[in-house]
């Protein structure tokens, strides 16, 4: 049974501690123009990405900079660590999961060398995108809010009309 037939809200916790940023402020048109989907971003204050909900890992980039999850309710979530960080070819990223892994809310997905990556000039703003199409409504926390990984709500997703 698909997620849209369940007609309930799902709350995703923030996958990284830091400050909430509107997608419109992300310095990458693909995210800022919602090309990949709606959501929010977080400017990381630490170096760990955790699962925002109970989910299956459907994709993790070989470079460790991006991870896709599908919640048990069928919500597709993309977490993209930084802008243009694919150019690092995995340097500074360590995945704790593999494709097909089942994760619980708060489980560590990826760790990264925040200071080292920023020292190389990369912006680590981390978009959290609800992808996969369909009609959804996304309630977001306010831009500028400080959030703690695995604890604070970031997005509430509900089926649209």
């Amino acid at each position: 049974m698909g997620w849209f037939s369940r007609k309930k809200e799902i709350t995703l916790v923030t996958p990284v501690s830091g400050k909430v940023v509107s997608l419109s402020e992300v310095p990458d048109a693909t995210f800022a123009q919602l090309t990949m989907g709606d959501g929010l971003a977080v400017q990381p204050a630490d170096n760990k990405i955790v699962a925002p909900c109970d989910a299956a890992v459907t994709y993790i980039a070989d470079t460790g900079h991006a991870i896709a999850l599908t919640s048990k309710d069928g919500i597709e979530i993309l977490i993209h660590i930084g802008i243009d960080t694919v150019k690092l070819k995995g340097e500074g990223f360590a995945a704790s999961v593999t494709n097909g892994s089942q994760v619980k809310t708060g489980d560590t997905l990826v760790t990264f060398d925040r200071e080292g990556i920023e020292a190389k000039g990369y912006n680590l703003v981390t978009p959290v995108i609800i992808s996969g199409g369909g009609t959804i409504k996304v309630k977001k926390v306010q831009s500028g809010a400080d959030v703690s990984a695995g604890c604070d709500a970031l997005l509430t997703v509900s089926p649209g009309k």
Side-chain angles (χ1 to χ4, degrees), residues 14-20 42-49 112 114-115 118 124-126 146-149:
T14 185
V16 62
S17 295
K19 189 169 292 296
V20 175
V42 178
Q43 188 64 53
D46 69 7
N47 65 348
K48 180 171 64 170
I49 302 294
F112 57 98
R114 184 172 60 91
E115 294 82 10
E118 287 174 338
L124 280 171
V125 67
T126 301
D146 289 316
V147 289
S148 295

Side-chain angles (χ1 to χ4, degrees), residues 65-103:
H65 79 286
I67 187 165
L69 305 165
T70 300
S71 77
K72 64 181 182 173
D73 297 296
I75 299 171
E76 295 177 14
I77 305 150
L78 171 67
I79 303 168
H80 194 282
I81 308 164
I83 304 302
D84 293 329
T85 50
V86 66
K87 294 176 182 175
L88 291 169
K89 299 179 181 174
E91 181 182 345
F93 294 92
S96 301
V97 294
T98 58
N99 289 329
S101 294
Q102 297 293 314
V103 295

Side-chain angles (χ1 to χ4, degrees), residues 89-154:
K89 299 179 181 174
E91 181 182 345
F93 294 92
S96 301
V97 294
T98 58
N99 289 329
S101 294
Q102 297 293 314
V103 295
K104 298 283 187 193
T105 304
D107 286 353
T108 299
L109 303 174
V110 176
T111 55
F112 57 98
D113 178 5
R114 184 172 60 91
E115 294 82 10
I117 294 168
E118 287 174 338
K120 291 180 180 185
Y122 291 90
N123 183 340
L124 280 171
V125 67
T126 301
V128 180
I129 306 296
I130 305 303
S131 59
T135 303
I136 57 171
K137 292 187 214 173
V138 180
K139 279 196 270 180
K140 309 168 192 176
V141 293
Q142 184 174 353
S143 186
D146 289 316
V147 289
S148 295
C151 299
D152 295 327
L154 183 68

